[in-house]
Amino acid sequence: MLSKEKTLEVLAIMAEMFPKAECELTHRNPFELVIAVALSAQATDVSVNRVTPALFEKYPTPEAFVAAPVEDIMEMIKTIGLYRNKSKNIKACCSMLIERFNGEVPQTREELMALPGVGRKTANVVLGDAFDVPAIAVDTHVERVSKRLRLVKQGASVLEVEEALMKKIPKEMWVKTHHRMIFFGRYHCVARAPKCESCPLLDYCQEGKSRLKV
């Protein structure tokens, strides 16, 4: 695996590549971010952003979602994968927000993860982007990039990837690093055809060298 020093060198190069990396999900407040991130599971941010403006216009609060028939929510998000379960989770999530948190999005990981449809990744995104709480959310891009660059062990679980990155990266860099790694994985080190031949990180990447037979 790459040392802490080399890991920080890699991240500095990613920062040069994507200096403006940030959350690409459209949202105006923590509540909308919770719903948008939950919708993005096994779906693209682009597909989520197509439906959320109208969805949040019609249902701007937890109370509005709770009052809506689940079939109406399904109709509005039916272009997103797993839309049936996500519609049910949205209503259940909003019910819990009202009943346990006075309609406000909680600001701890444990409380966020208690919400239906909210896992650790979603909780970490909300903590970092809505409340400026240091967190690294490990999605498919972060996991792939971390393993390709040998920042973590190849057999590491999602939680182990998160914990390994947290040990190597200064806390104040966690949120920015999360976004830069996502951008790097989404737009450069893509799953099926990574741009190894033009990658400024090739010298650090054994997998990239193997692909190019360097």
Side-chain angles (χ1 to χ4, degrees), residues 92-165:
C93 174
C94 290
S95 292
M96 185 176 288
L97 285 175
I98 295 167
E99 294 166 8
R100 286 185 51 180
F101 303 108
N102 298 314
E104 298 294 326
V105 176
Q107 298 186 31
T108 70
R109 181 179 292 108
E110 293 72 21
E111 289 175 321
L112 284 164
M113 289 178 64
L115 298 170
V118 176
R120 189 177 181 91
K121 184 204 80 171
T122 297
N124 283 346
V125 171
V126 174
L127 288 174
D129 287 327
F131 301 121
D132 295 320
V133 175
I136 296 177
V138 179
D139 70 351
T140 182
H141 302 296
V142 173
E143 181 177 9
R144 180 176 69 254
V145 167
S146 296
K147 291 182 177 180
R148 279 183 174 169
L149 287 168
R150 306 298 191 265
L151 305 183
V152 303
K153 294 179 180 178
Q154 293 302 290
S157 66
V158 171
L159 181 57
E160 288 169 339
V161 171
E162 179 185 335
E163 291 172 341
L165 292 176

Side-chain angles (χ1 to χ4, degrees), residues 22-27 33 36-38 40 44-46 48-49 125:
E22 60 183 12
C23 181
E24 293 191 300
L25 289 168
T26 301
H27 66 282
L33 183 59
V37 180
S40 72
T44 65
D45 287 2
V46 171
V48 174
N49 288 339
V125 171

Side-chain angles (χ1 to χ4, degrees), residues 9-212:
E9 289 176 9
V10 162
L11 296 178
I13 294 171
M14 284 188 196
E16 293 175 1
M17 295 175 71
F18 302 104
K20 297 182 179 179
E22 60 183 12
C23 181
E24 293 191 300
L25 289 168
T26 301
H27 66 282
R28 297 170 294 188
N29 53 55
F31 170 63
E32 291 186 356
L33 183 59
V34 169
I35 301 301
V37 180
L39 287 174
S40 72
Q42 298 185 48
T44 65
D45 287 2
V46 171
S47 67
V48 174
N49 288 339
R50 287 196 190 105
V51 304
T52 48
L55 184 71
F56 295 145
E57 184 68 27
K58 188 170 184 180
Y59 308 119
T61 63
E63 291 80 3
F65 273 110
V66 169
V70 69
E71 293 79 12
D72 289 1
I73 299 173
M74 287 183 187
E75 181 63 26
M76 295 197 74
I77 67 169
K78 64 183 181 181
T79 57
I80 297 176
L82 307 176
Y83 73 95
R84 296 179 189 276
N85 283 337
K86 289 177 181 178
S87 298
K88 295 172 184 176
N89 281 336
I90 286 173
K91 279 183 67 76
C93 174
C94 290
S95 292
M96 185 176 288
L97 285 175
I98 295 167
E99 294 166 8
R100 286 185 51 180
F101 303 108
N102 298 314
E104 298 294 326
V105 176
Q107 298 186 31
T108 70
R109 181 179 292 108
E110 293 72 21
E111 289 175 321
L112 284 164
M113 289 178 64
L115 298 170
V118 176
R120 189 177 181 91
K121 184 204 80 171
T122 297
N124 283 346
V125 171
V126 174
L127 288 174
D129 287 327
F131 301 121
D132 295 320
V133 175
I136 296 177
V138 179
D139 70 351
T140 182
H141 302 296
V142 173
E143 181 177 9
R144 180 176 69 254
V145 167
S146 296
K147 291 182 177 180
R148 279 183 174 169
L149 287 168
R150 306 298 191 265
L151 305 183
V152 303
K153 294 179 180 178
Q154 293 302 290
S157 66
V158 171
L159 181 57
E160 288 169 339
V161 171
E162 179 185 335
E163 291 172 341
L165 292 176
M166 288 166 67
K167 289 177 182 177
K168 289 186 170 184
I169 302 167
K171 201 170 188 177
E172 64 272 15
M173 291 176 58
W174 287 356
V175 176
K176 279 293 186 184
T177 293
H178 153 75
H179 288 304
R180 287 165 182 161
M181 291 182 76
I182 287 177
F183 270 52
F184 183 72
R186 182 177 287 164
Y187 301 115
H188 188 84
C189 190
V190 295
R192 295 185 180 179
K195 301 173 183 178
C196 300
E197 67 284 347
S198 63
C199 186
L201 296 179
L202 185 61
D203 287 344
Y204 298 87
C205 184
Q206 293 302 316
E207 183 166 328
K209 291 177 182 178
S210 296
R211 285 174 181 270
L212 297 177

